[in-house]
């Protein structure tokens, strides 16, 4: 079994910062692409940021310059540093990781259960 556990969410005022962490555990041979998604009430889940195994990154335009995604492969963990937060950033944030559980096996996407980020005005 593979589990992704997010942490670091919470309530913050507009302009504040939060750092989200997502640690993968269980049977893991290799973690490939990792990313953060968010879903606000009544809206579709959207990709916020992603990072490849080669450390190339991408961001949605709404967070570019404010958020930074990073990873620590020794800990099977992906981070999202969120600065200059806005009320529009309020959502449940989910991490996703593409994981190969065993050598020679296929790569499967796994999701965390989400962490609430609330930005007050």
């Amino acid at each position: 079994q593979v589990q992704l556990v997010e942490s670091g969410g919470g309530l913050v005022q507009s302009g504040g910062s939060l750092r989200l962490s997502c640690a993968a555990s269980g049977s893991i041979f290799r973690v490939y692409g990792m990313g953060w998604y968010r879903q606000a009430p009544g809206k579709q889940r959207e990709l916020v940021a992603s990072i490849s195994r080669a450390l190339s990154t991408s961001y949605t335009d709404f967070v570019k310059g404010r958020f930074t995604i990073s990873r620590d492969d020794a800990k099977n963990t992906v981070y999202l540093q969120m600065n200059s937060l806005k009320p529009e950033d309020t959502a449940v944030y989910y991490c996703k990781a593409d994981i190969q559980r065993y050598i020679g096996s296929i790569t499967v996407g796994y999701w965390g259960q989400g962490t609430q980020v609330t930005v007050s005005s």
Side-chain angles (χ1 to χ4, degrees), residues 18-77:
L18 287 172
R19 191 192 192 206
L20 306 183
S21 299
C22 175
S25 62
S27 299
I28 298 172
F29 171 67
R30 184 169 294 172
V31 179
Y32 293 95
M34 307 180 81
W36 288 95
Y37 295 72
R38 67 186 182 188
Q39 187 167 26
K43 294 186 177 181
Q44 289 186 309
R45 188 173 299 186
E46 65 174 350
L47 177 64
V48 176
S50 64
I51 183 167
S52 74
R53 185 172 175 83
L55 303 183
S56 63
T57 59
S58 64
Y59 302 89
T60 184
D61 287 342
F62 291 106
V63 308
K64 197 170 297 181
R66 300 188 296 122
F67 292 8
T68 303
I69 189 171
S70 61
R71 65 189 288 166
D72 184 345
D73 287 333
K75 298 179 178 180
N76 289 329
T77 299

Side-chain angles (χ1 to χ4, degrees), residues 66-115:
R66 300 188 296 122
F67 292 8
T68 303
I69 189 171
S70 61
R71 65 189 288 166
D72 184 345
D73 287 333
K75 298 179 178 180
N76 289 329
T77 299
V78 62
Y79 305 93
L80 186 66
Q81 180 66 47
M82 310 164 67
N83 299 325
S84 302
L85 283 162
K86 305 174 181 180
E88 306 92 271
D89 296 318
T90 296
V92 177
Y93 283 70
Y94 300 88
C95 66
K96 178 180 178 290
D98 298 323
I99 296 174
Q100 184 181 15
R101 296 187 66 195
Y102 306 99
I103 187 168
S105 67
I106 63 171
T107 299
V108 177
Y110 293 86
W111 290 88
Q113 291 302 302
T115 183

